[in-house]
Amino acid sequence: MIMSILAIIGIDLVLGGDNAIVIALASRNLPRSQRNKAIIWGTGLAICIRVLLTAVALYLLQIPFLKLVGGLLLIYIAIHLLTDDEDEPDIKGSDNLLSAIKTIVFADVVMGFDNVIALAGASGGNIILVIIGLLISVPIIIWGSKIILLFMEKFPILVYIGASILAYTAGEMILGEERLQSLFEQYYALQYILPIATILFVVIVGQYINQRKIKTVN
């Protein structure tokens, strides 16, 4: 249970960088007295919506082979995290409190799809763990977002650690696919090998893509 909560917190912190940027951009034109209101209300509503979406995702993951698909999608998300060099999202600041809140919520829903899939896998089907993880990690994202982003820029290894958490979660999600249990029971070693193999695959592919990008630029 503790490991699941730590995984959820780690996923939130790693994938929360863009959301932190959105919060800053959406509320930057508000009067100073209204910025905290926009952040608190916008983030609060975004958390509620994310919990609901994760609950839906947990239900959908009961569909045959959807855990396998979710695991593969999470591997893609982890690789994208390592190779993503896009600029900041094009979010316009608003001088209206309600508009800023709507922007924060809408952007969080759109950008939080990776979080929803990752949280559904890391929680092992327990929505209570998702709520606990969000309650711990979201305040850290809000108030410590600049510090988190600074550390991730200063120490790129943290991005790789985050991607590894996602890769491990993907491996565990695939192992949880009920339609493949006979295979995993027959080859018991896969239960230990698959999560490690997923981590190695994500790191190696991510590193390879980054090397190709550097060569293309040069």
Side-chain angles (χ1 to χ4, degrees):
M1 181 176 175
I2 293 174
M3 290 302 296
S4 295
I5 292 175
L6 289 176
I8 290 169
I9 293 170
I11 288 166
D12 274 325
L13 294 180
V14 169
L15 295 179
D18 285 346
N19 302 77
I21 293 170
V22 167
I23 291 170
L25 291 175
S27 58
R28 72 185 187 277
N29 290 336
L30 287 172
R32 198 170 291 274
S33 60
Q34 292 188 344
R35 282 181 192 169
N36 284 343
K37 289 181 182 178
I39 291 170
I40 292 169
W41 279 101
T43 309
L45 289 170
I47 291 172
C48 293
I49 292 171
R50 187 170 294 188
V51 170
L52 289 173
L53 289 176
T54 307
V56 171
L58 290 173
Y59 171 74
L60 291 175
L61 287 176
Q62 304 308 312
I63 298 173
F65 292 113
L66 217 62
K67 284 185 181 177
L68 173 62
V69 174
L72 295 174
L73 179 59
L74 200 50
I75 290 172
Y76 168 78
I77 292 169
I79 294 172
H80 181 69
L81 175 68
L82 289 179
T83 58
D84 184 23
D85 56 359
E86 294 175 355
D87 295 330
E88 293 180 353
D90 184 20
I91 303 292
K92 294 181 180 178
S94 173
D95 55 4
N96 179 275
L97 178 61
L98 188 60
S99 296
I101 291 172
K102 285 196 295 187
T103 300
I104 292 170
V105 172
F106 179 74
D108 185 84
V109 170
V110 172
M111 297 166 63
F113 178 70
D114 49 4
N115 260 31
V116 169
I117 295 295
L119 292 178
S123 66
N126 192 334
I127 194 66
I128 302 298
L129 294 184
V130 174
I131 295 171
I132 293 172
L134 283 170
L135 289 175
I136 294 172
S137 56
V138 169
I140 298 173
I141 291 171
I142 296 171
W143 305 115
S145 57
K146 289 183 180 178
I147 297 172
I148 294 167
L149 291 170
L150 180 65
F151 271 97
M152 289 179 77
E153 287 175 3
K154 236 179 165 185
F155 305 104
I157 189 67
L158 293 178
V159 179
Y160 279 86
I161 291 172
S164 298
I165 292 173
L166 292 181
Y168 178 84
T169 301
E172 289 291 315
M173 190 184 293
I174 293 170
L175 286 172
E177 177 54 61
E178 291 179 8
R179 295 297 178 95
L180 298 176
Q181 287 310 303
S182 57
L183 174 67
F184 297 139
E185 286 172 9
Q186 187 177 353
Y187 300 99
Y188 191 74
L190 281 174
Q191 298 191 31
Y192 302 98
I193 294 171
L194 189 59
I196 296 170
T198 342
I199 293 171
L200 291 174
F201 176 77
V202 165
V203 171
I204 291 169
V205 172
Q207 187 68 18
Y208 173 75
I209 293 173
N210 285 333
Q211 294 279 351
R212 287 289 300 269
K213 283 184 179 179
I214 293 170
K215 287 181 182 177
T216 304
V217 171
N218 294 335

